[in-house]
Amino acid sequence: ETKPVSVSNATLPKDIDVALIMQMSIGTFSSQYINGVTEQVESFGGNVKVYNADNDLSKMASYVDTATTQGVDVILIDHGRADALKEPVQRALDKGIKVVAFDNDLTNEGVTVIDQDDYSLAWRSLKALAEDLDGEGNIVTIWVGGFTPMERRHTIYDAFLKRYPGITEVAKFGSATNNTALDTQSQMEAILKKYPEGEIDAVFAMWDEFAKGASRAIKQAGRDEIAVYGIDLSDEDLQLMQEDGSPWKVTAATDPAEIGRIQVRYAYQKLAGEETPSIHSVDPYLVDRDVLPDEKVTMDDLGQYVPNWGASDAAWSDWMKGTD
Ligand code: SR1
């Protein structure tokens, strides 16, 4: 049994245990997101245990039950789908555990679900692509189904193809594997052989692991007529975008570490008995390589070049800032 402890005017359980249950942990988005979660929990006091379900939804569901049986205070869920998770999540809620989810379609009452406004993410990147092509050209699209954010991005992609009838999809592929970037690179190499110079104008990559693989294949093949329009951003992605002759021109993104921090803040607001919303969409920004300086930048410096980029003021309570 944990005893309550006062943090300024907020009363929280003592020794807060947080279970972060992830559908998968692939690539730099996931690692920066985990850093954000860990850093925010540690700053408030608490311990995080990370469970990686290796893309197995039934394993993910049983991790939720394991955390519930262990009596953690908070369960944070990353990806996953309601069809697999709604029942174990309800068991956690019934036991009084606070649940905050990211990137899924859970609707259990009491759960806050945050996302990156995937419609907006996809539209911003696609609109830049359409304008750069002046509404006409051939594109390759890299996407994988079955993930809530990907399905939402695809809804906008369908609308985009209707809105810009002069833009034609010549190829589409993608899969989430343990080596997504590398596997994408090999598949993109095959596509480049199939469609010689002049037959592809741009690539729309709906995940940074896809954008990395496509960019490396295009650069190695010397196909500098092809530009990549992506989604997501990490320190590694920024380096790639800033390389000389990088095909990766534009990306639409939020800061994955900040997503993790917001998710934790909502959980701690719940622990403190505060009101929290059912949904929260974090606003994404468009990052064009042209706004970046010659010297290397990191995610922490990006606010100097992308207006409004940086720490969000979402889900902050006065007690968290020590101002109540
Ligand atoms: C397979 S889903 C990958 C996406 O999850 C997060 O929403 C990131 O934005 C990434 O693109």
Side-chain angles (χ1 to χ4, degrees):
E1 274 300 292
T2 55
K3 291 204 188 88
V5 65
S6 282
V7 178
S8 204
N9 285 332
T11 301
L12 300 177
K14 207 173 145 227
D15 300 327
I16 294 166
D17 284 319
V18 178
L20 168 59
I21 299 173
M22 306 178 70
Q23 179 176 348
M24 78 260 159
S25 178
I26 301 173
T28 44
F29 184 98
S30 295
S31 52
Q32 299 208 196
Y33 161 78
I34 295 172
N35 290 345
V37 166
T38 310
E39 175 199 309
Q40 192 72 92
V41 169
E42 285 172 357
S43 80
F44 293 150
N47 318 297
V48 186
K49 181 162 180 193
V50 181
Y51 297 81
N52 174 4
D54 292 319
N55 216 359
D56 176 342
L57 288 178
S58 51
K59 194 163 157 190
M60 194 175 180
S62 63
Y63 281 150
V64 175
D65 279 327
T66 303
T68 301
T69 309
Q70 286 171 348
V72 298
D73 302 285
V74 167
I75 295 180
L76 303 178
I77 295 183
D78 169 39
H79 290 75
R81 286 199 316 265
D83 53 2
L85 300 176
K86 66 172 187 280
E87 285 165 14
V89 162
Q90 193 55 49
R91 288 191 279 277
L93 292 166
D94 291 346
K95 231 184 135 184
I97 296 170
K98 310 303 178 199
V99 182
V100 184
F102 164 54
D103 256 356
N104 65 38
D105 56 342
L106 282 166
T107 52
N108 305 57
E109 203 180 327
V111 177
T112 296
V113 184
I114 64 177
D115 61 53
Q116 303 179 84
D117 195 352
D118 293 279
Y119 282 20
S120 176
L121 269 181
W123 187 253
R124 280 167 181 248
S125 187
L126 284 165
K127 189 176 167 206
L129 181 158
E131 288 177 352
D132 288 350
L133 293 189
D134 202 18
E136 267 182 45
N138 292 336
I139 64 168
V140 171
T141 295
I142 318 180
W143 174 80
V144 59
F147 298 89
T148 305
M150 287 294 175
E151 298 296 338
R152 290 179 178 151
R153 291 168 199 177
H154 203 280
T155 301
I156 293 303
Y157 179 64
D158 286 335
F160 162 84
L161 290 176
K162 288 199 185 100
R163 166 67 183 83
Y164 297 103
I167 295 181
T168 305
E169 175 196 286
V170 293
K172 186 179 185 189
F173 68 95
S175 48
T177 66
N178 285 336
N179 279 311
T180 302
L182 210 57
D183 293 342
T184 304
Q185 186 173 344
S186 317
Q187 286 171 285
M188 190 68 212
E189 280 162 10
I191 300 260
L192 292 173
K193 285 190 187 121
K194 186 167 173 201
Y195 297 95
E197 202 159 338
E199 293 190 17
I200 302 170
D201 299 295
V203 170
F204 177 47
M206 296 200 222
W207 179 7
D208 59 346
E209 296 307 302
F210 292 154
K212 280 180 214 171
S215 298
R216 289 176 183 138
I218 293 166
K219 195 171 176 193
Q220 272 173 27
R223 297 283 296 271
D224 56 11
E225 81 280 12
I226 305 173
V228 174
Y229 295 77
I231 287 180
D232 301 319
L233 201 53
S234 66
D235 286 327
E236 189 188 10
D237 300 344
L238 273 169
Q239 267 188 28
L240 202 54
M241 287 178 82
Q242 286 193 287
E243 275 176 11
D244 278 346
S246 172
W248 193 348
K249 184 176 187 309
V250 162
T251 199
T254 69
D255 180 349
E258 186 58 15
I259 297 286
R261 290 190 286 258
I262 293 172
Q263 199 175 357
V264 171
R265 293 201 293 270
Y266 275 128
Y268 276 64
Q269 286 185 333
K270 286 177 191 289
L271 286 171
E274 293 174 36
E275 236 177 78
T276 49
S278 303
I279 54 166
H280 178 95
S281 285
V282 179
D283 283 330
Y285 295 95
L286 194 71
V287 180
D288 190 310
R289 192 185 48 210
D290 293 347
V291 306
L292 302 176
D294 290 339
E295 63 273 15
K296 299 284 170 230
V297 286
T298 65
M299 297 287 275
D300 292 339
D301 310 322
L302 207 53
Q304 294 170 44
Y305 311 100
V306 180
N308 299 322
W309 178 272
S312 128
D313 53 12
W316 278 110
S317 301
D318 287 345
W319 64 263
M320 293 175 180
K321 304 177 195 156
T323 55
D324 64 339

